[in-house]
Amino acid sequence: MDPVAIVLLVAAIVVVFLVASTVRIVPQARRYNIERFGRYRRTLQPGLNFVMPVADRINTKLDVREQVYSSDPKPVITEDNLVVNIDTVLYYQVTDPRSAAYEVADYLQAIDQLTVTTLRNVIGSMDLEGTLTSRERINAQLRTVLDEATGKWGIRVNRVEIKAIDPPHTIKEAMEKQMRAERDKRAAILHAEGERQAKILTAEGTKQKDILEAQGTQQAMILRADGEAKAVERVFQAVHRNNADPKILAYKYLETLPHLAKSDNNTFWVIPGELTEAVRTVTTAFGDHSAAGGPTPAPAQPEEAATAGPDQTSDRGGAPGLKAESTLSLDAAAAVDEATKQAAAAVNDAKAEAEAARTPTVPRREQTSGD
């Protein structure tokens, strides 16, 4: 092979190597720290960059996007001397690649240890109940401490979150029993409140029902009384409008007396002892009422009064409550007298039957001759 060709080939390879060593392409969201003869020179930005071959070299390649770091559970002692395991989640971002590479050897380890120390300081002044219910406060204190410490490292802590707080197993069982008791208490309270409301509503419903029933009964009694009053008023007006004769009224009165003894359930009743006195009283009352307010019957003709014999006059005078000027005929008077006698006989029979039913039958003992 020609020596000149070999030299040219070697020279070409050296040129290609030098060109490749000079050009550096940095991806987006990446930063490269360049050292020249072991000393920091500059930080390459994303895009095409040129460096000095052989003299410059890349020391560190950093990602400036926001990173997530989850730490392992760390034991922490609370104020009431309980050991709890706490693991955290850290969101950070590299803001200064030079400081992140040269100010701290391992910034992730430094942040982890600083987080554990800060947690122990914060939770050491809180009891277990406060630790479980004060996550926001713990997160805020952690972020404040980490921002102050990691600023000089070129790291910005965007957010710190407590992922889990695990108390001991015995404490978990006690907490579960407490929560179960609280739930049972709330359930009993809610059940009692429900029963109380149900009883109140039932009582109010019963009260409204009784009130409505009483109002309905009152209205019914009022309407019934009004109806009876109107019926009595109409009967009274009909009787006085038609100017009923006292004998007819007395006959109707006596006609109802026998019916008092016909019922099987009646064990006691009151019957006037003197029927003629009752007839006279009723006749006198209706006669006075007719004279006071009712229409006056037409007077009898003189001829009829003159033709009446002494026997007829005496018979009429024997009837109770009848006047000489009555307009009834002799047949009507006789019918009334006959009805009066029949009613009196029926009443006497009813009284006798009642006395016989009330008095037990006692057999009579024969009197001996010695008595």
Side-chain angles (χ1 to χ4, degrees), residues 79-303:
E79 186 180 10
D80 47 357
N81 297 324
L82 293 175
V83 179
V84 294
N85 294 322
I86 300 178
D87 54 342
T88 58
V89 178
L90 181 67
Y91 297 86
Y92 69 94
Q93 185 177 10
V94 177
T95 57
D96 188 359
R98 180 180 179 279
S99 299
Y102 297 103
E103 294 294 334
V104 61
D106 189 350
Y107 59 84
L108 285 179
Q109 184 180 2
I111 292 174
D112 186 23
Q113 295 299 321
L114 184 60
T115 302
V116 173
T117 305
T118 307
L119 274 175
R120 288 174 178 172
N121 292 333
V122 173
I123 295 178
S125 60
M126 303 171 62
D127 56 2
L128 179 61
E129 190 71 21
T131 302
L132 295 175
T133 58
S134 303
R135 293 195 176 192
E136 292 295 333
R137 196 177 101 185
I138 297 173
N139 294 337
Q141 293 182 5
L142 279 175
R143 181 178 177 182
T144 301
V145 174
L146 291 175
D147 279 341
E148 293 177 356
T150 59
K152 61 180 180 179
W153 298 340
I155 306 295
R156 184 179 64 204
V157 178
N158 296 327
R159 193 172 182 180
V160 181
E161 292 291 340
I162 295 178
K163 185 166 62 175
I165 300 176
D166 297 327
H169 184 68
T170 56
I171 302 300
K172 286 183 178 180
E173 291 180 354
M175 293 172 63
E176 289 177 358
K177 291 180 180 179
Q178 180 182 0
M179 293 302 298
R180 191 179 301 112
E182 289 291 335
R183 291 190 181 95
D184 293 341
K185 175 183 175 182
R186 288 197 295 267
I189 292 174
L190 292 177
H191 183 69
E193 288 290 336
E195 289 184 351
R196 175 174 172 270
Q197 293 294 332
K199 290 181 179 179
I200 291 174
L201 294 177
T202 303
E204 290 181 353
T206 305
K207 176 183 175 182
Q208 293 295 329
K209 175 185 175 182
D210 294 341
I211 292 174
L212 293 177
E213 288 181 353
Q215 291 178 352
T217 305
Q218 179 187 10
Q219 294 294 329
M221 293 176 67
I222 292 174
L223 293 176
R224 192 179 298 111
D226 291 341
E228 293 178 357
K230 290 181 179 180
V232 172
E233 182 180 357
R234 288 188 179 182
V235 171
F236 183 80
Q237 291 177 358
V239 169
H240 289 278
R241 188 183 305 113
N242 296 325
N243 193 17
D245 189 84
K247 286 188 176 183
I248 296 176
L249 296 176
Y251 173 73
K252 290 296 182 183
Y253 170 74
L254 296 173
E255 191 180 25
T256 58
L257 293 178
H259 296 285
L260 296 175
K262 291 183 179 180
S263 177
D264 296 335
N265 297 326
N266 290 339
T267 58
F268 176 78
W269 59 89
V270 178
I271 299 175
E274 185 61 39
L275 294 177
T276 57
E277 185 66 24
V279 173
R280 186 181 295 108
T281 302
V282 174
T283 306
T284 304
F286 279 97
D288 295 341
H289 185 75
S290 300
T296 303
Q301 296 294 331
E303 292 79 2

Side-chain angles (χ1 to χ4, degrees), residues 14-25 42 44 48-54 56:
V14 171
V15 170
V16 170
F17 176 75
L18 291 176
V19 170
S21 301
T22 302
V23 176
R24 292 289 182 270
I25 298 176
R42 63 192 177 96
L44 298 182
L48 183 62
N49 295 275
F50 296 97
V51 298
M52 184 179 292
V54 181
D56 294 342

